[in-house]
Amino acid sequence: MSAQPRLVVSAPASGHGKTAIAVGLLAATAARGIPAAGFKVGPDHTDAAYLGLAAGRPGRNLDPRLVGAQRIAPLFLHGAGSAQLSVIEGAMGLFDSLTGQPEIDGTAAVAAALHAPVVLVVDVAAMGHSLAALVHGFRMFDEMVHLGGVILNRVASPRHEQMLRTALDDIGMPVLGALRRGDLPNVLPARAHGPVPVAHRTVEASRAVRRLGEAVAGALDLDRLMALASSAPALPGPIWTPADVVGGEVFDQRPVVALAGGPGAPFTYVETAELLTAAGADVAVVDPLRDESLPAGTRALIVGAGLPEGYAEELSANRRLCTAVAQFARDGWPVVAEGVALPWLGREFDGRPMCGVFDASATTADQTIAGYREATAPTTSSLAPAGARITGYKQHRAIVTPRAGTVPAWTWSGGNPEGFVWRQVHASQLGLHWAAAPEIAKRIVSAALAGPAPMGPPSRPPMPPQPQPHAPAQPHAQAQQRQPIQPQPVQPQPHVPASPVEPLPAEPISVESLPTQSFSVQPQVPSIPQPASTQPSPVQAHPISFQPPAGHPQSPPAEQPPVQHEPGPFQQPGSPAPQAARTPVQSGPPISHPGRPEHLGSPGQQTAHLPGPPGPTVDQQPPIPQQPPAVSSSNLNDTVDITIS
């Protein structure tokens, strides 16, 4: 049992000011010298970054859809640590959900799982006594959610405030603070910047957090809020720790893994760096917007989905890093790219030149594509074995053409395959939370130790001019002299970075059903190759067992035979899957919703067992088609125009 003061800051809907008040509450608490921690419900990187900046420790995400309901409390306890106040900012309205299943992944479900009291922020600019009816409805809607008080935002006048307080007093609801119109300054940088201002520790971001803290400190009753947070009961269960979930071997040498981000925050979830460190890597931060080279000795590169697409111009302008990353990928080192990192590895984005690892271009569309995907890996890569399934989240406007290569990164039901797998590069617009599958960190570290993958035959003629042959690469060194490479006979040669970048071709695919048979990869972990070696080492990886998050259905890829989800720890492929009722996300009795029909859920947590012989290595490619089929770049099956906050 762990006693951890905590409260959830939510609202009836987006736009009521809950983000500004949650950030200000953390800043005001930290200004008093009280240790605090910030969390964001859902996959949003931006709000989590500002909550972390205000609290003075990394902001974290709590997303039952991405990590599984059973990990919410352990991850919370891990992130809260010794904090005397933890503030969990909700997503959208208290009972809203992007998937339409708030009993699974809504803010109310997270509050129930954490037994955390809820503070409702309400924009009352155009409300009177009707506020009491609204608040009473939220209080009675779900008996598993404890509504502990209300914060009034955008109050018009002292008389207006007194009217609202009287209305809430009639229903016995405490008012924990009131802010007049203009009291809460609109100072946070535009959401289009994402977490970049926090990652770069800009003056604008720091000033915004300070001003919000001052506004909240003068308008909210901090003592009553602290007392409400302290009333939360102790949480049972274990605390999530990276070392426990990763386990495995202890390596004599620690490879350097470059993780995209800045000094203030990474462009991925905080647990990614913690898992890589626990798996045996030395994590070095690389900023794709500012750094001109990879960290010295880099043996793997991870670019998460937190970097916004609005920085495409800055990514393109950093030509030296583009050249270094293209050469790094060509040399066969592991690269994991999510979100905007897929267009970055392509040939161009909105007409701007990019790294050119893939012969693909991207353009910005008017609609935002957003949503969760239950993805299946169609082939073995440095990220996952063939048949592994995991839930990810995507939110982008960039349309990549072609949508996928000959070997796509992911497939999912109801949509076309997406992304590229080539040698040890795994690129997709789908973002993952590695806490759902800690084995990913072990695979990346093992691939980094094994060294570059050998070059496989191209699946189509390369783009002119013909690419120069390259020898097996040595670990990347910083600030190497760049010189043009003259054509030479094909033979092992020392690694020299090439200039300019010569994009590699993408491999067209046939949009068809892919097998769901899983594979288990169980090699020995090799030692780091010596610089004098001229023979590359094949990629070796640890066995992996991906665990689909509990609390939502697991869908097989399109046009595939259904898969049976048997009760118990293993998933056996090949048998029909019956329909099962879904289980709400919570600790304790089921969440009831009086006055409306019950939502269906999914069976509990299942562990995917990966039987069968070892799968193909990442450099193996399908035979060259004589007439490649047309590649579909349609995104109509997964287009949603929505704003999440």
Side-chain angles (χ1 to χ4, degrees):
M1 303 285 286
S2 177
Q4 180 62 53
R6 57 197 179 275
L7 55 82
V8 173
V9 176
S10 189
S14 296
H16 283 248
K18 65 179 181 296
T19 298
I21 288 178
V23 170
L25 178 57
L26 284 169
T29 303
R32 285 188 169 191
I34 300 173
F39 300 84
K40 173 68 177 180
V41 175
D44 182 22
H45 295 273
T46 304
D47 288 352
Y50 284 100
L51 293 168
L53 178 62
R57 67 171 69 187
R60 298 173 185 268
N61 294 77
L62 299 173
D63 192 328
R65 185 69 62 169
L66 288 182
V67 304
Q70 77 284 0
R71 295 188 181 94
I72 293 299
L75 284 169
F76 168 77
L77 292 173
H78 168 69
S82 59
Q84 296 180 23
L85 174 65
S86 294
V87 175
I88 303 114
E89 184 202 345
M92 299 184 287
L94 178 58
F95 298 105
D96 292 333
S97 166
L98 179 61
T99 64
Q101 296 176 316
E103 75 280 9
I104 293 177
D105 52 24
T107 300
V110 173
L114 297 178
H115 304 291
V118 177
V119 175
L120 197 69
V121 178
V122 185
D123 184 339
V124 297
M127 297 189 72
H129 284 80
S130 296
L131 173 65
L134 181 145
V135 171
H136 179 68
F138 271 79
R139 177 173 60 182
M140 300 301 294
F141 188 76
D142 190 340
E143 63 183 12
M144 294 299 298
V145 176
H146 170 48
L147 187 57
V150 174
I151 295 175
L152 308 177
N153 190 21
R154 299 184 67 213
V155 177
S157 65
R159 181 174 176 273
H160 186 209
E161 179 181 343
Q162 184 59 44
M163 177 198 306
L164 298 172
R165 287 181 178 272
T166 301
L168 292 178
D169 186 61
D170 289 343
I171 64 171
M173 179 58 63
V175 176
L176 302 177
L179 295 105
R180 301 288 177 84
R181 294 178 182 178
D183 283 355
L184 202 61
N186 184 21
V187 291
L188 287 176
R191 292 190 63 85
H193 294 291
V196 172
V198 177
H200 289 171
R201 294 178 177 171
T202 64
V203 174
E204 181 187 12
S206 300
R207 183 186 296 118
V209 169
R210 177 180 54 80
R211 290 186 60 188
L212 290 174
E214 293 170 351
V216 165
L220 270 59
D221 191 333
L222 296 183
D223 293 334
R224 293 180 69 188
L225 285 166
M226 288 290 297
L228 178 62
S230 298
S231 69
L235 278 176
I239 299 176
W240 185 90
T241 58
D244 290 343
V245 297
V246 169
E249 300 91 335
V250 177
F251 305 118
D252 294 334
Q253 295 175 293
R254 300 178 65 87
V256 176
V257 176
L259 183 67
F267 297 142
T268 184
Y269 298 113
V270 177
E271 290 81 3
T272 300
E274 296 174 339
L275 288 168
L276 285 169
T277 301
D282 286 332
V283 178
V285 175
V286 58
D287 190 342
L289 305 176
R290 294 180 173 181
D291 294 338
E292 295 186 346
S293 62
L294 295 172
T298 295
R299 303 182 70 89
L301 172 63
I302 312 294
V303 185
L307 183 62
E309 294 175 340
Y311 285 88
E313 184 175 357
E314 288 82 353
L315 289 171
S316 175
N318 194 350
R319 299 312 304 159
R320 289 192 175 184
L321 184 62
C322 284
T323 302
V325 169
Q327 191 63 51
F328 187 79
R330 290 172 178 168
D331 289 341
W333 296 99
V335 178
V336 176
E338 298 176 346
V340 73
L342 171 56
W344 184 46
L345 294 184
R347 184 179 66 252
E348 62 179 17
F349 187 3
D350 286 338
R352 301 181 181 95
M354 293 294 169
C355 295
V357 176
F358 303 116
D359 185 13
S361 60
T363 56
T364 301
D366 294 332
Q367 271 191 319
T368 297
I369 299 170
Y372 296 92
R373 301 291 182 269
E374 295 168 19
T376 300
T379 188
T380 296
S381 69
S382 57
L383 186 76
R389 291 186 298 181
I390 190 171
T391 298
Y393 179 80
K394 56 158 42 185
Q395 183 171 351
H396 60 88
R397 293 173 59 195
I399 303 300
V400 179
T401 305
R403 179 183 169 99
T406 301
V407 182
W410 300 110
T411 63
W412 49 72
S413 178
N416 295 321
E418 177 186 291
F420 298 80
V421 172
W422 177 76
R423 301 187 74 185
Q424 294 207 81
V425 180
H426 188 285
S428 167
Q429 290 174 294
L430 190 70
L432 305 180
H433 197 307
W434 288 17
E439 299 88 347
I440 295 177
K442 295 170 62 177
R443 292 180 66 88
I444 296 299
V445 172
S446 296
L449 285 170
M455 173 69 77
S459 61
R460 57 185 285 188
M463 296 175 58
Q466 294 186 357
Q468 307 296 332
H470 293 285
Q474 304 305 323
H476 184 86
Q478 190 175 15
Q480 298 182 23
Q481 183 67 30
R482 293 175 172 82
Q483 299 178 358
I485 296 180
Q486 302 300 327
Q488 297 178 3
V490 179
Q491 59 183 358
Q493 307 231 356
H495 167 59
V496 180
S499 177
V501 178
E502 295 175 359
L504 293 177
E507 298 106 358
I509 67 164
S510 173
V511 181
E512 58 186 8
S513 299
L514 293 167
T516 59
Q517 177 64 39
S518 303
F519 295 87
S520 175
V521 184
Q522 300 181 357
Q524 297 295 323
V525 179
S527 60
I528 297 180
Q530 298 300 320
S533 172
T534 59
Q535 295 299 326
S537 302
V539 174
Q540 303 292 341
H542 286 277
I544 183 169
S545 112
F546 279 66
Q547 298 182 350
H552 65 283
Q554 298 298 319
S555 302
E559 302 180 16
Q560 295 188 10
V563 178
Q564 173 72 27
H565 292 273
E566 296 288 349
F570 299 112
Q571 170 192 334
Q572 301 294 337
S575 53
Q579 298 295 324
R582 296 190 174 98
T583 302
V585 176
Q586 60 194 31
S587 297
I591 299 176
S592 76
H593 300 275
R596 63 171 179 161
E598 290 290 335
H599 288 278
L600 295 180
S602 72
Q605 176 70 17
Q606 301 287 336
T607 301
H609 179 57
L610 306 173
T617 58
V618 295
D619 61 294
Q620 292 176 333
Q621 303 289 345
I624 304 174
Q626 296 299 323
Q627 295 293 332
V631 178
S632 171
S633 61
S634 171
N635 285 273
L636 298 180
N637 288 331
D638 56 11
T639 300
V640 178
D641 195 1
I642 190 169
T643 299
I644 302 172
S645 64

